[in-house]
Amino acid sequence: MSIGEIAERFGLATHVLRHWEAMGLITPARIGGARRRYGLDDLYRVAVILRGKEAGFSLEEIHEMMATSDATKRRAVLLRRREELARRIAEAQASLELIDCALDCDHEDLAGCPHFQARVTERIPAVLTP
């Protein structure tokens, strides 16, 4: 595939693929000296990069994991991102629970609802709690 074909397939701009190539994340074959040709391995690598970005990895972290054969280094990067992702999921879950609580509330003034207040109180840092 050409750079335009792979970019279209993934909904990316071609300059993104060129940037990833400059970083060493992908290495498409060259034909005629300059034209890039992407194969199945390149499709897989682009998908891995996109999944990594969706999980919150930086391009540098993705490169670090893809470039190393040292499982310990790769594991360290994965553990750091896992901790961050678990934190973000917990925050999103707490937000969803607060929204569900508000949706279930029949009080005219949401701020006066004891259940809603209890959910909001959980967000007050312990140092500031009277």
Side-chain angles (χ1 to χ4, degrees):
M1 280 187 268
S2 70
I3 191 169
E5 290 169 330
I6 197 167
E8 183 177 341
R9 186 169 189 162
F10 284 100
L12 300 169
T14 55
H15 71 86
V16 171
L17 295 171
R18 287 186 192 97
H19 176 67
W20 291 354
E21 182 180 353
M23 290 186 68
L25 289 167
I26 54 177
T27 53
R30 299 286 183 155
I31 59 168
R35 293 186 52 126
R36 294 167 178 86
R37 298 308 290 174
Y38 295 85
L40 290 177
D41 287 345
D42 298 306
L43 286 174
Y44 179 78
R45 287 182 76 85
V46 169
V48 168
I49 294 165
L50 291 172
R51 283 288 188 197
K53 289 177 60 58
E54 290 165 2
F57 288 95
S58 69
L59 290 177
E60 291 76 17
E61 289 171 322
I62 295 168
H63 182 269
E64 184 179 350
M65 286 186 300
M66 293 173 86
T68 188
S69 59
D70 183 343
T72 303
K73 287 182 182 179
R74 186 172 40 252
R75 184 172 174 76
V77 174
L78 289 166
L79 284 172
R80 282 194 312 267
R81 186 54 47 208
R82 186 191 187 291
E83 289 170 3
E84 173 62 21
L85 188 55
R87 183 192 61 75
R88 288 182 17 219
I89 289 169
E91 288 174 354
Q93 185 63 43
S95 296
L96 182 60
E97 289 170 6
L98 182 64
I99 290 169
D100 287 343
C101 180
L103 286 170
D104 291 340
C105 181
D106 292 333
H107 285 81
E108 191 168 308
D109 177 13
L110 185 62
C113 172
H115 293 101
F116 188 79
Q117 287 176 349
R119 294 281 185 191
V120 173
T121 301
E122 295 170 1
R123 183 61 176 95
I124 299 172
V127 177
L128 301 177
T129 303

